[in-house]
Amino acid sequence: MSPLIQDVGSQKFKQLLALEDWEKISRASIASMMRDIFERARPSNDVLIGNDAQEYLANIICHVQKYIINEHCAYGPIRWMWYIRRSPGILFSGNLGTTFAYDRGLAEAISAQFTAADVGEHLCSISFAVDRFTFRHVVRYASRIKALSHLHVLYRLVGKGAVLNVKSPLFFTEENQSISHAVKIYDARHDQMRKFIGSGLGLAIDGISIDEKPQWSEETDALLSMPCTPFLLQIKHPNEGGELIDVKVLAHFSLCHIKIDKIIRPLGRKAGFLPILKRAAAIIQLLMLVPAFLSNLPYALGAILQFGYFFITTKRLQEIFEAHSEDIVSKLRKYVPEFHWADNFLQWHNHLTSVKASPWPFSAGNFLRAQGDMCLIDISGATSALLHSLEAHRSSDLSNLRGEVFESQCQDLIDATVWAPPAEQRALRGRQLRQNGSYLTDIDAIGVKDRTLLLISCKSIIYDREYDQGVFHVIRNARSTVDEAVISWAAVIQKLTSQSQGDNFDFSEFDEIIGVVCTPFVVYSEAELTLAFIKSNLRACSSMDELWVWLSKEECDIQD
C-alpha cells in the first residue's frame, strides 16, 4: 500500500485548533481592531445610504488594511503564504462556498505587502515552526481578514440598495424585503460551479478542462492550478534518498489544462492583441512552463497538489526558462506575432514580479515571492492573476465585436447539445426578422428541440473589478440593462407566439417558443420578471453557466 504524505505543519495546525479556544481569540481580535478604528474615524450619521455609505466604508477599509499590516508585519510574505495554505479551512470559510476562496485570497494579497525577511527551519524546503504562539497569531490575522472581507460585503450590499448602520463599531446593513430576497437569490446563484471564464471581458470562454489525474506531455499548452474539494491521489514522489516511489497525497488543488489561443485572442484575429496581454503575457509563459517544472522537479507535483505552489532556486528557474523559452515564444508568436513576448530571463522575471496583488478591489498577484536564492512560485496564485487580467473597459471600441463573439459562444453552446437547430432555423440567427412590413427583432442565438423553439437575446455585460467591488452606479446600470432586456424580449416572444409567421420567417411548426436573456455571469436584479422561472430551472435572465446546466439537464432527460 502506498504511504500517505503527511505535512507536519498542517497536522500541527489541526491539533492546535482542537486545543485552543480559537473562536474567542477571533472575536477579541476583531472587536479590539474595530473599536480602535471606529474611535479614529467616526461617521457623520448613525445611518448612511448610497454613495455616502460607500465613501465611509472605503475609508474604513483603508484603515483596516493598515491596521492589519501594522499588527502582523513580523512575518514576511513567504512565511505568511506557508501558514495561510496550511491553516485549517474553518478559519476562512463562511456560509457560501465562494467565501473561503475569496477570504483566503484576500489574506494572501495582504501578506504580499509584508517586507520582513523570512528564515525557515530548513532552507532547502523552506518550512516554519508551528506552535501555540504562531497559531494564535495566525488566528488573529485570519479573523481580521474576515472582518475586512465583511466590510467588502457591506460595500456590495450598499451598492444593491441596502442601508448601512454604523451606530457601533460592528457595522451591519438593513435591507427591505425585496432587496433581502434578491440578495439571497443572487448569492446562491453566484455560488454555483462555473464552467466558463472571461466574464471580465463580457464573454463566456470554455477553455479550461480539469483532470482528476494530472497528465501532461510536450504537447500540453499550459497547466493551471485551482483550489478543489480535497481528494486522495496516488503520484510519484521522491523519498529521502531521491528515489521516485508511489505515494498518496491529499490534494487541495487540481491541475487544469487551458487552451491558450482562447486566452490570447478571446475576440479572434479581428481585434488584434488586447491590452490585457501586457499584464497577462508573463503569466501565460509561466503557466506554459508548468509541464517543464513537473518533468524536471520531482517534488513539484506533490507540492502543487497540496499547497498550490512549490519552491525552486532562482538559478534553477532560470535554467528551466532558458531551456524552454524558445519553443514557448515560438508557439505564442503563431497566435500573436505582433506582440513582443519576453525571450530573456531577466525581462520575463521582471514582468512576473511587476504583477501585484490588490486587496480591494481584489485581484491576485505577487505569485513569485523570493527570499535569498529561493523562490516560492504560486501556480494557483498565477492562475487567479491570469483570470483576473481578463478584463475589458466598458467604453472599449470593441464593444460591438465583443457582443458578436458572445453571441457566437452562446450559439456554440447550444450547437453542442440536443438543442442544435436545423440549418433552416440556424440561418435566421443574426437576421433582422420583419413582421407586417416592420422590423421586429434579430435573434442572437437559436435552439430547436422537437416542436419547441428556443430564442436567446445575448447581453455582453462586463464583470470587472468595479462590479465585483459593488460600486453603486455599476450595479445599478447592469441591473437596468437586464431588467429592460427581459421586458423587451418577453414582448417579442409574445408577438411571435400570437403571430408565428412574418415577412421573412415562419415559426408555425412550433408549439412553444421559449425566450431567454443570456449574460456571461449572474447579474444582480430585484425585478420579479427578471428572476422569474420561465421553465423549470431556467430564469428569464440566465447566465451562460445556468443555460449550460439547463441544456445539459434537457439532454440527460432525453438519454434517460
Side-chain angles (χ1 to χ4, degrees), residues 211-454:
D211 295 329
E212 289 187 6
K213 187 173 182 180
Q215 296 179 352
W216 64 91
S217 68
E218 293 182 358
E219 303 303 317
T220 302
D221 264 1
L223 287 173
L224 279 60
S225 173
M226 292 182 168
C228 63
T229 302
F231 66 99
L232 279 175
L233 183 66
Q234 183 167 303
I235 63 169
K236 295 286 187 180
H237 192 75
N239 59 17
E240 292 182 358
E243 179 187 0
L244 286 178
I245 61 171
D246 289 328
V247 301
K248 288 183 179 179
V249 296
L250 184 61
H252 291 266
F253 296 83
S254 59
L255 283 173
C256 320
H257 292 261
I258 186 169
K259 298 173 183 176
I260 288 296
D261 60 322
K262 292 191 176 184
I263 297 295
I264 294 176
R265 284 196 179 275
L267 297 179
R269 293 191 174 273
K270 290 182 183 179
F273 75 84
L274 301 180
I276 59 171
L277 264 189
K278 294 178 181 178
R279 175 180 169 89
I283 309 174
I284 291 170
Q285 289 175 268
L286 172 65
L287 296 174
M288 291 180 74
L289 278 172
V290 173
F293 292 140
L294 298 179
S295 298
N296 288 274
L297 308 171
Y299 60 86
L301 177 59
I304 294 173
L305 290 172
Q306 292 179 88
F307 309 115
Y309 67 75
F310 66 95
F311 286 103
I312 186 173
T313 64
T314 305
K315 180 182 178 182
R316 190 74 179 103
L317 176 61
Q318 181 172 355
E319 290 172 350
I320 293 176
F321 174 85
E322 291 176 347
H324 296 86
S325 175
E326 185 176 347
D327 289 340
I328 289 175
V329 170
S330 176
K331 180 181 290 187
L332 290 170
R333 282 177 177 158
K334 291 178 181 178
Y335 298 125
V336 191
E338 68 270 31
F339 185 78
H340 176 69
W341 299 93
D343 53 8
N344 70 78
F345 178 75
L346 183 59
Q347 182 186 40
W348 175 68
H349 186 274
N350 288 341
H351 285 170
L352 282 183
T353 55
S354 70
V355 182
K356 305 297 184 184
S358 170
W360 190 71
F362 174 69
S363 65
N366 296 98
F367 42 82
L368 192 155
R369 304 187 181 198
Q371 179 62 47
D373 188 44
M374 295 295 290
C375 293
L376 180 154
I377 299 184
D378 181 15
I379 302 301
S380 177
T383 299
S384 296
L386 175 62
L387 299 182
H388 288 157
S389 72
L390 302 179
E391 183 177 300
H393 294 291
R394 292 188 189 85
S395 59
S396 170
D397 295 335
L398 298 171
S399 57
N400 289 336
L401 179 58
R402 187 184 75 233
E404 292 174 9
V405 172
F406 181 56
E407 292 166 10
S408 296
Q409 291 172 336
C410 191
Q411 188 63 57
D412 289 343
L413 175 68
I414 295 170
D415 289 347
T417 71
V418 294
W419 286 86
E424 181 183 355
Q425 280 79 35
R426 201 181 197 286
L428 295 174
R429 178 180 171 268
R431 182 189 300 180
Q432 291 189 352
L433 303 188
R434 302 184 67 82
Q435 198 172 61
N436 301 323
S438 299
Y439 167 75
L440 177 62
T441 189
D442 55 283
I443 299 170
D444 298 333
I446 186 169
V448 173
K449 192 182 76 170
D450 301 327
R451 296 179 64 84
T452 300
L453 179 66
L454 175 66

Side-chain angles (χ1 to χ4, degrees), residues 426-497:
R426 201 181 197 286
L428 295 174
R429 178 180 171 268
R431 182 189 300 180
Q432 291 189 352
L433 303 188
R434 302 184 67 82
Q435 198 172 61
N436 301 323
S438 299
Y439 167 75
L440 177 62
T441 189
D442 55 283
I443 299 170
D444 298 333
I446 186 169
V448 173
K449 192 182 76 170
D450 301 327
R451 296 179 64 84
T452 300
L453 179 66
L454 175 66
L455 301 179
I456 308 290
S457 175
C458 297
K459 297 299 173 185
S460 175
I461 299 174
I462 291 174
Y463 188 105
D464 60 3
R465 297 182 197 184
E466 285 189 330
Y467 192 94
D468 183 65
Q469 189 177 12
V471 176
F472 185 79
H473 75 273
V474 174
I475 301 298
R476 179 193 58 201
N477 291 345
R479 180 176 62 195
S480 297
T481 298
V482 296
D483 289 346
E484 292 169 7
V486 166
I487 293 172
S488 174
W489 199 236
V492 169
I493 298 303
Q494 186 176 15
K495 285 183 179 179
L496 291 173
T497 301

Side-chain angles (χ1 to χ4, degrees), residues 86-119:
R86 286 166 172 79
S87 297
I90 196 170
L91 296 186
F92 295 107
S93 60
N95 294 329
L96 299 173
T98 50
T99 301
F100 173 78
Y102 185 88
D103 289 5
R104 188 171 71 174
L106 184 58
E108 292 166 4
I110 293 286
S111 74
Q113 299 185 34
F114 297 125
T115 58
D118 292 310
V119 180

Side-chain angles (χ1 to χ4, degrees), residues 70-233:
N70 289 336
E71 289 292 314
H72 298 278
C73 61
Y75 298 163
I78 288 182
R79 185 169 186 171
W80 268 121
M81 178 66 81
W82 195 92
Y83 285 144
I84 290 168
R85 291 284 171 91
R86 286 166 172 79
S87 297
I90 196 170
L91 296 186
F92 295 107
S93 60
N95 294 329
L96 299 173
T98 50
T99 301
F100 173 78
Y102 185 88
D103 289 5
R104 188 171 71 174
L106 184 58
E108 292 166 4
I110 293 286
S111 74
Q113 299 185 34
F114 297 125
T115 58
D118 292 310
V119 180
E121 289 183 320
H122 306 290
L123 187 60
C124 61
S125 60
I126 308 289
S127 60
F128 300 94
V130 178
D131 52 30
R132 288 197 168 189
F133 174 82
T134 302
F135 177 78
R136 291 171 184 172
H137 194 58
V138 170
V139 169
R140 292 187 189 97
Y141 181 71
S143 65
R144 287 163 176 160
I145 292 293
K146 295 287 289 181
L148 178 60
S149 175
H150 178 64
L151 293 172
H152 292 184
V153 171
L154 296 182
Y155 191 96
R156 295 187 187 103
L157 289 173
V158 169
K160 295 177 175 70
V163 174
L164 179 67
N165 189 306
V166 288
K167 292 179 181 178
S168 71
L170 300 179
F171 310 151
F172 61 93
T173 55
E174 300 168 349
E175 307 103 26
N176 61 38
Q177 188 173 359
S178 175
I179 294 175
S180 180
H181 179 65
V183 167
K184 185 176 181 180
I185 291 174
Y186 175 80
D187 286 345
R189 295 171 69 192
H190 188 70
D191 200 45
Q192 298 304 307
M193 181 196 75
R194 298 180 187 178
K195 171 181 172 65
F196 303 98
I197 61 174
S199 57
L201 296 169
L203 304 176
I205 302 170
D206 185 12
I208 293 179
S209 59
I210 301 175
D211 295 329
E212 289 187 6
K213 187 173 182 180
Q215 296 179 352
W216 64 91
S217 68
E218 293 182 358
E219 303 303 317
T220 302
D221 264 1
L223 287 173
L224 279 60
S225 173
M226 292 182 168
C228 63
T229 302
F231 66 99
L232 279 175
L233 183 66

